[in-house]
Amino acid sequence: MDLSAITKHSALHAKPSGLLLQYGTAGFRMKAEHLDHIMFRMGLLAVLRSKQTKSTIGVMVTASHNPEEDNGVKLVDPLGEMLAPSWEEHATYLANAEEEDMQRVLIDISEKEAVDLQQDAFVVIGRDTRPSSEKFSQSVIDGVTVLGGQVHDYGLLTTPQLHYMVCCRNTSGQYGMATIEGYYQKLSRAFVELTKQASCSGDEYRSLKVDCANGIGALKLKEMEHYFSQGLSVQLCNDGTKGKLNHLCGADFVKSHQKPPQGMEIKFNERCCSFDGDADRIVYYYCDADGHFHLMDGDKIATLISSFLKELLLEVGENLNVGVVQTAYANGSSTRYLEEVMKVPVYCTKTGVKHLHHKAQEFDIGVYFEANGHGTALFSKAVEDKINQLARELEDKKGKAAKILRNIIDLFNQVADRKVISTTDAERQAVTPPGLQEAINDLVKKYRLSRAFVRPSGTEDVIRVYAEADSQESADSLAHEVSLAVFDLAGGIGERPQPGF
Ligand SMILES: CC(=O)N[C@H]1[C@@H](OP(=O)(O)O)O[C@H](CO)[C@@H](O)[C@@H]1O
Ligand SMILES: [Mg+2]
């Protein structure tokens, strides 16, 4: 380690004094103006992680669904998973070190993790379309190079694409080619094959309106469109030519407001979907003949995927262990349906893809989705080998089902992201401040089929309130009452919460 070079370069990316940040639900997120030092330091950390794992590490510059003025950064571990929890702690430690402590902190982390400093390091970088992202990826590159690491900057990428690149590079191309071309080829081939195998493949099933949240999804879908040939026709809305990133559009807006995004006109039965700012969430929706809006969120997607997989497995005659993983934000009726009707075991983890991903790895096939549209299906290596073999050996109906399963495996990009209020029981119960959980319990009792919980966000400076009940009015009213309890018991500031949003 050239310690004097590190000190010199670090001073060019100086930390605002007194600023303390934490590696949260999905990395660091903040107003962009406070983040330059974090970018440089995450470049340094990525080199140490790369040396320790002797693998390529990814760095994604994005703040996903947050407003355009924010930015953020997350590290991607060797198999495309989110950074290991112990390294999240190192990230927070390094992010908060004062300038004069930088050398000591880097040495500390290297010693704790037995990093061989002589080892080569390789880091790949991607970024979203925020105005601040390009400059920030330069700061990451500065951090990587000053510690002697090599860099490949992929430039503009979606988060799932960066995860894919990292996995390809660390599996010597077995997962796919580590190029944008390789990504489009692998996914579109599986998709086109699947549409040929599907029983309903008329034209009306092949068009989709896509709300791209005015973000990176628009650029990348435009590139990918050509690979679908006749398989899919997409119409892009909110493609970034006019509107602001994530403003009144995108998956987060559609999910939390339960209405269509601005900038998209929906006709009866048109198939529509929304991405978020880094295109790692998707939610689907349509309007019925009466103009009513129907959202197919992560809960619904998980239910559809797991029932489809179970049907195919029954067809091929394989009895595999399929599980679904959700968070506390999953609607109670989806959990009941999965457990009682589908007879699928359902598990609840803390918010954040890393927690769901980890749990889903325990199954032969683990389907996980956050209600907001983050998710995928994971197939164990043994299951993947078995399905490949069945697809080769079986014929007729069984063979067809095995081939469909084979294409589904390729289509799901399986590499994944792995204060005053504190919570327990997968965040469904508030432990502090005293009296808050009791107040919530009393409010929930007033409504039928209701649930409610609160937790501090890990990506924004807010407390999130969740409520469900047997009608929209009851859910809104419960949400309002719970937010008042939070305001009163957790020291709310500013105006008291108003009903509705
Ligand atoms: C309720 C909700 O949607 N929370 C989101 C949000 O985290 P918070 O910690 O709630 O701010 O952003 C995360 C990253 O995108 C996502 O994984 C998570 O599901
Ligand atoms: Mg995102």
Side-chain angles (χ1 to χ4, degrees), residues 78-297:
L79 289 179
E81 289 155 292
M82 291 293 253
L83 186 64
S86 58
W87 280 76
E88 288 191 1
E89 281 175 31
H90 300 327
T92 302
Y93 181 36
L94 183 61
N96 295 328
E98 295 305 329
E99 287 305 320
E100 62 275 19
D101 298 329
M102 284 290 287
Q103 297 186 1
R104 187 179 51 80
V105 169
L106 286 169
I107 292 170
D108 239 26
I109 297 172
S110 308
E111 282 176 357
K112 231 185 235 152
E113 294 291 345
V115 175
D116 172 4
L117 293 169
Q118 303 313 313
Q119 178 69 37
D120 288 342
F122 199 85
V123 176
V124 291
I125 302 180
R127 64 167 197 271
D128 72 11
T129 53
R130 283 163 207 271
S132 55
S133 292
E134 188 168 0
K135 176 178 143 269
F136 282 160
S137 35
Q138 284 308 317
S139 305
V140 175
I141 293 173
D142 211 8
V144 175
T145 14
V146 79
L147 261 190
Q150 286 186 60
V151 190
H152 180 87
D153 181 9
Y154 279 99
L156 292 162
L157 278 192
T158 68
T159 290
Q161 287 175 335
L162 183 74
H163 286 269
Y164 167 89
M165 300 304 175
V166 173
C167 188
C168 291
R169 284 183 179 266
N170 289 318
T171 53
S172 318
Q174 258 187 52
Y175 190 71
M177 269 192 312
T179 59
I180 195 78
E181 176 85 15
Y183 177 89
Y184 294 142
Q185 275 171 358
K186 177 174 177 182
L187 269 71
S188 61
R189 195 206 59 80
F191 179 81
V192 170
E193 286 296 310
L194 271 174
T195 51
K196 285 187 199 147
Q197 290 162 329
S199 37
C200 311
S201 48
D203 281 349
E204 68 274 30
Y205 294 103
R206 294 190 182 171
S207 51
L208 181 66
K209 272 192 173 166
V210 186
D211 157 29
C212 300
N214 290 317
I216 182 71
L219 303 179
K220 297 296 152 181
L221 195 53
K222 263 181 214 156
E223 288 173 9
M224 191 171 185
E225 218 182 331
H226 314 291
Y227 292 78
F228 294 129
S229 58
Q230 308 298 310
L232 177 71
S233 132
V234 287
Q235 189 185 329
L236 273 56
C237 309
N238 298 319
D239 65 355
T241 45
K242 292 195 292 282
K244 218 174 160 184
L245 179 68
N246 295 329
H247 183 60
L248 304 176
C249 62
D252 202 57
F253 174 86
V254 172
K255 168 69 186 159
S256 46
H257 292 76
Q258 304 270 323
K259 63 178 187 193
Q262 280 197 3
M264 181 192 267
E265 204 192 306
I266 309 182
K267 296 200 197 88
F268 164 56
N269 256 356
E270 268 181 341
R271 303 163 154 240
C272 308
C273 70
S274 286
F275 295 151
D276 68 341
D278 57 340
D280 66 349
R281 295 190 194 180
I282 191 165
V283 291
Y284 294 89
Y285 42 91
Y286 63 93
C287 283
D288 63 21
D290 300 324
H292 290 132
F293 176 74
H294 295 267
L295 179 66
M296 295 163 81
D297 60 7

Side-chain angles (χ1 to χ4, degrees), residues 372-388:
N372 61 31
H374 272 138
T376 191
L378 302 181
F379 296 78
S380 73
K381 181 77 181 72
V383 166
E384 193 177 336
D385 292 347
K386 180 84 196 162
I387 289 172
N388 280 335

Side-chain angles (χ1 to χ4, degrees), residues 307-323:
S307 40
F308 186 42
L309 290 172
K310 284 200 88 164
E311 264 172 43
L312 292 167
L313 290 170
L314 198 69
E315 192 76 58
V316 289
E318 283 298 314
N319 186 14
L320 298 175
N321 150 22
V322 180

